[in-house]
Amino acid sequence: IIASRLLTHVGKLPPMVQQLGCINRGLKVSVVGSVGGIGQPLSLLLKLNPDIEKLSLYDIKNTTGVGVDLSHINTRASVCPFEGKDGLKKAMDKADIVVVPAGLPRKPGMKREDLVDVNATVACEVAVAASEVCPGAMLAFITNPINVIVPIVATILKAKGTYDPNRLFGVTSLDVVRAQTFVADILNSNPQKVNIPVIGGHTGRTILPILSQCDPPFNGTVKEREELIKHIQNAGTEVVNAKDGLGSATLSMAFAASHFINALIRGIKGSKDQCVVECAYVESDVTEAQFFATPLVLGPQGIEQNTGLPELDDEERKALDFMLPILKESIEKGIKIGEDMM
Ligand code: NAI
């Protein structure tokens, strides 16, 4: 099944990614929305990755300044800034990875869902451009609401005949980063050593940290556990309120996204020393929701294996049952928007 699935997709990929093996050359990574609150620190962090040969920056305006600034850093990646309407395709041309922190962030009182109308247009532009100039690229969307945006993009790519479910990701790494940090705070341990899957989607109760599988184990009381889960689920709103009208999480998001992109790169490069596993929101048959975040093994062709649902205890199973209708509604909405846009 895997071989036939690969063959189906290989036909649509540009020559540079047609081999089933890994890529040995330096990579081209495009950041769409590179002047924004996430875009700038994310571009900085990606400039530090020695496997990136070309760091291509795109935004509607003011990309040149960010580009010149970054270009003075003495690391391998050459920085190419693009802006304006026709800059998008130039920036994404033959990219190996496109990461998208473009679009409106939340203000206090807003839900992520309130961003759909504006951000769907941005996602659509990127999906159409990707189909034309980099159909084999890995696409990583940060733009909210992730639960809706990823189905929109999948629908557009399908209509364009360039959809590869193994190469489209909604970036949910910040939920994992937050879970690691908050668990480590309680356990008084190193957050980098905390292993905890966060599954589902990226808003409210669709964010489901699986505390029963936490390593080191979390043995808090029922109340402590509930509070911790709420803290992880509401952490984005905590930042929005603390910034008091000046946007949502940018620095922690840039860190989380660079962590995810670096993992994608290790996968593309065929990391032999250790298996690359990250959670992300992708097309999935793990639950009845068509898109769902679970831990994924990443490799040269994107998702190598979806590890499926982690073991769940009774409370987690109830939380999963609660979230599925919410997630399914967002997905249906995204597919409908995507169809209407074509
Ligand atoms: P921001 O407003 O600071 O930056 C957004 C950038 O996107 C701006 O530079 C803007 O010019 C650019 N942009 C807008 N339309 C564009 C288009 N059509 N093409 C290219 N660039 C375009 O916003 P911020 O804080 O950087 O957030 C960006 C997105 O990331 C928001 O939708 C936000 O909700 C989302 N986000 C996602 C998180 C996640 O965990 N996935 C966490 C935090 C934020």
Side-chain angles (χ1 to χ4, degrees):
I1 293 170
I2 291 172
S4 67
R5 199 165 172 188
L6 283 172
L7 283 175
T8 319
H9 298 311
V10 161
K12 293 169 192 153
L13 304 180
M16 62 185 176
V17 288
Q18 281 195 1
Q19 307 148 299
L20 295 183
C22 52
I23 297 177
N24 290 319
R25 59 177 169 73
L27 301 178
K28 173 170 175 175
V29 177
S30 302
V31 183
V32 177
S34 54
V35 175
I38 298 168
Q40 289 201 42
L42 173 58
S43 302
L44 168 63
L45 293 169
L46 294 177
K47 176 80 171 83
L48 308 182
N49 187 321
D51 288 322
I52 301 179
E53 190 175 349
K54 213 171 235 184
L55 184 62
S56 175
L57 308 180
Y58 175 75
D59 208 302
I60 304 166
K61 56 182 185 173
N62 300 332
T63 318
T64 307
V66 174
V68 172
D69 192 358
L70 282 177
S71 72
H72 292 176
I73 296 171
N74 61 350
T75 54
R76 179 187 187 188
S78 62
V79 181
C80 315
F82 297 92
E83 56 193 44
K85 274 278 165 220
D86 44 321
L88 180 62
K89 283 187 201 157
K90 287 184 193 154
M92 290 171 58
D93 190 38
K94 298 188 187 64
D96 297 290
I97 298 175
V98 179
V99 54
V100 190
L104 222 60
R106 279 191 292 163
K107 296 232 158 66
M110 283 175 93
K111 293 194 291 273
R112 290 183 180 91
E113 288 76 4
D114 298 334
L115 303 169
V116 170
D117 290 346
V118 179
N119 289 351
T121 313
V122 181
C124 178
E125 283 169 15
V126 177
V128 170
S131 296
E132 288 179 29
V133 301
C134 57
M138 313 276 176
L139 305 178
F141 278 82
I142 296 170
T143 311
N144 268 321
I146 289 284
N147 295 3
V148 185
I149 291 291
V150 174
I152 293 177
V153 173
T155 307
I156 292 169
L157 296 176
K158 259 182 212 163
K160 295 275 176 196
T162 55
Y163 181 49
D164 179 349
N166 293 327
R167 291 167 189 268
L168 174 62
F169 306 88
V171 181
T172 57
S173 312
L174 183 53
D175 300 317
V176 178
V177 165
R178 284 168 171 157
Q180 290 173 310
T181 306
F182 302 161
V183 166
D185 283 349
I186 293 170
L187 299 183
N188 198 18
S189 60
N190 178 353
Q192 301 269 324
K193 296 259 159 70
V194 173
N195 202 344
I196 175 166
V198 182
I199 66 168
H202 176 67
T203 188
R205 288 175 70 175
T206 70
I207 300 169
L208 184 55
I210 306 301
L211 283 172
S212 67
Q213 300 306 312
C214 186
D215 176 27
F218 173 79
N219 295 319
T221 62
V222 173
K223 187 157 181 282
E224 282 165 343
R225 178 181 150 138
E226 277 172 13
E227 279 171 4
L228 175 56
I229 291 173
K230 270 203 192 116
H231 190 194
I232 296 165
Q233 291 174 334
N234 295 330
T237 307
E238 205 177 283
V239 179
V240 171
N241 291 339
K243 290 197 174 178
D244 197 15
L246 293 180
S248 58
T250 53
L251 303 174
S252 51
M253 182 63 238
F255 169 82
S258 74
H259 173 86
F260 182 71
I261 300 301
N262 291 339
L264 271 185
I265 291 174
R266 287 203 308 283
I268 291 174
K269 289 267 168 191
S271 171
K272 289 280 172 281
D273 31 331
Q274 67 189 133
C275 193
V276 184
V277 181
E278 293 294 328
C279 291
Y281 181 68
V282 298
E283 181 153 359
S284 163
D285 55 11
V286 167
T287 67
E288 60 199 60
Q290 197 186 333
F291 293 83
F292 197 87
T294 38
L296 311 165
V297 179
L298 301 173
Q301 310 300 322
I303 302 171
E304 206 144 81
Q305 191 200 337
N306 189 327
T307 68
L309 279 183
E311 214 172 288
L312 306 178
D313 67 17
D314 288 348
E315 288 306 313
E316 288 158 352
R317 196 151 278 289
K318 271 190 227 154
L320 174 64
D321 289 343
F322 180 88
M323 95 156 67
L324 282 175
I326 303 172
L327 207 46
K328 280 164 66 181
E329 197 184 321
S330 298
I331 293 164
E332 273 166 31
K333 186 174 176 180
I335 292 172
K336 169 100 183 36
I337 295 173
E339 284 168 354
D340 290 348
M341 283 179 143
M342 282 291 89

